[in-house]
Amino acid sequence: MCRIAKKRPTERLVVMEGGDTFFKHHKDELELIGCLERGETPEGLFLMMQPELSLAAPFDSLNFEVLLRMRKPDGEIVPAQVIIEAAEAHAKTAIIDHWSSPTVIACWRPMLAA
């Protein structure tokens, strides 16, 4: 709640209802924090690659952006913001980095060998 209030400096009162997405995201964040605090990589993490294209010359670059995502057991995708904020708030981003870097390299290794 404090984070939301800080993001809305002009509003003095933040009112939440039971079905508010804040509570859903907060529950996801608490589950992630528990996993990260134990030094574990959260289950369901996956990476997506998105090409970065120039509008003037879209085929002149092979740059990609790697996007972190997480799928819950019910198939729902946890927003990246929830994952990153939870890791940053508890100084556990290295756990995500130690998973994502080798995963990207393993994905690209067969393509580079060809």
Side-chain angles (χ1 to χ4, degrees), residues 19-29 31-32 43-46 48 68-80 82-83:
D20 198 304
T21 57
F22 166 79
F23 292 114
K24 188 170 139 190
H25 288 186
H26 187 62
K27 181 180 178 286
D28 291 343
E29 190 173 317
E31 290 172 2
L32 274 168
E43 286 191 34
L45 284 181
F46 66 99
M48 295 181 71
L68 178 68
R69 298 290 184 258
M70 186 171 130
R71 183 173 286 115
K72 292 171 45 174
D74 66 2
E76 181 183 354
I77 304 294
V78 176
V82 172
I83 303 165

Side-chain angles (χ1 to χ4, degrees), residues 25-86:
H25 288 186
H26 187 62
K27 181 180 178 286
D28 291 343
E29 190 173 317
L30 289 175
E31 290 172 2
L32 274 168
I33 290 166
C35 186
L36 294 170
E37 287 293 331
R38 292 187 301 274
E40 300 172 359
T41 301
E43 286 191 34
L45 284 181
F46 66 99
L47 300 173
M48 295 181 71
M49 297 184 73
Q50 173 175 300
E52 293 180 345
L53 302 174
S54 162
L55 294 176
F59 300 108
D60 288 354
S61 172
L62 294 176
N63 294 335
F64 285 86
E65 179 178 28
V66 178
L67 308 171
L68 178 68
R69 298 290 184 258
M70 186 171 130
R71 183 173 286 115
K72 292 171 45 174
D74 66 2
E76 181 183 354
I77 304 294
V78 176
Q81 178 180 353
V82 172
I83 303 165
I84 293 166
E85 283 183 1

Side-chain angles (χ1 to χ4, degrees), residues 1-14:
M1 293 281 277
C2 293
R3 236 182 303 153
I4 291 178
K6 287 177 185 176
K7 289 180 181 179
R8 301 177 186 173
T10 58
E11 298 176 28
R12 298 221 182 257
L13 180 64
V14 177

